[in-house]
Amino acid sequence: MSTVSRASLDQKLALAKRCSREATLAGAKAAAIATVTSAIPTLASVRMLPWAKANINPTGQALIISTVAGMAYFIAADKKILSLARRHSFENAPEHLKNTSFQGTGRPHPAFFRP
């Protein structure tokens, strides 16, 4: 069983904190943009469309807008976390795994694509 040094644990903790902060900021930006882009058509449709005016009360409007903002936050934060994890796992990979180029047989196309 290998021992893990305190310095490496501190480094991993600092990296995790930085990644979670970046993901939080990305999610907040996406939520702010989604709030504005969903609020404009929702509020406009309630004023202009008779069906929406009759059936969507202020609570429904707030629910529509906040649901879109929440979804945007979690989707953007999740994408950011996954991209950072992929990047950091690639940086820490051994050299023989970093070469992802395909060493094929030299044929650019299958036989049925040849002219």
Side-chain angles (χ1 to χ4, degrees):
M1 184 154 183
S2 66
T3 59
V4 179
S5 69
R6 174 125 175 120
S8 73
L9 287 177
D10 288 341
Q11 182 182 10
K12 287 182 181 182
L13 182 62
L15 181 65
K17 284 182 180 180
R18 193 183 84 227
C19 290
S20 64
R21 179 171 170 77
E22 287 181 31
T24 302
L25 289 175
K29 288 177 188 176
I33 293 169
T35 299
V36 172
T37 56
S38 66
I40 292 170
T42 302
L43 297 174
S45 67
V46 168
R47 289 185 177 253
M48 295 180 202
L49 299 174
W51 180 89
K53 188 182 288 189
N55 292 313
I56 303 177
N57 61 13
T59 305
Q61 295 169 30
L63 184 62
I64 291 169
I65 295 167
S66 64
T67 301
V68 171
M71 288 178 9
Y73 176 83
F74 285 111
I75 290 170
D78 189 45
K79 284 180 67 175
K80 187 68 171 181
I81 288 171
L82 290 175
S83 70
L84 290 171
R86 187 178 302 118
R87 183 175 60 192
H88 293 304
S89 68
F90 185 76
E91 288 172 358
N92 297 332
E95 287 300 319
H96 70 281
L97 294 177
K98 288 184 179 181
N99 183 9
T100 58
S101 62
F102 178 68
Q103 305 293 329
T105 60
R107 285 188 184 167
H109 302 291
F112 55 86
F113 281 138
R114 277 192 240 148

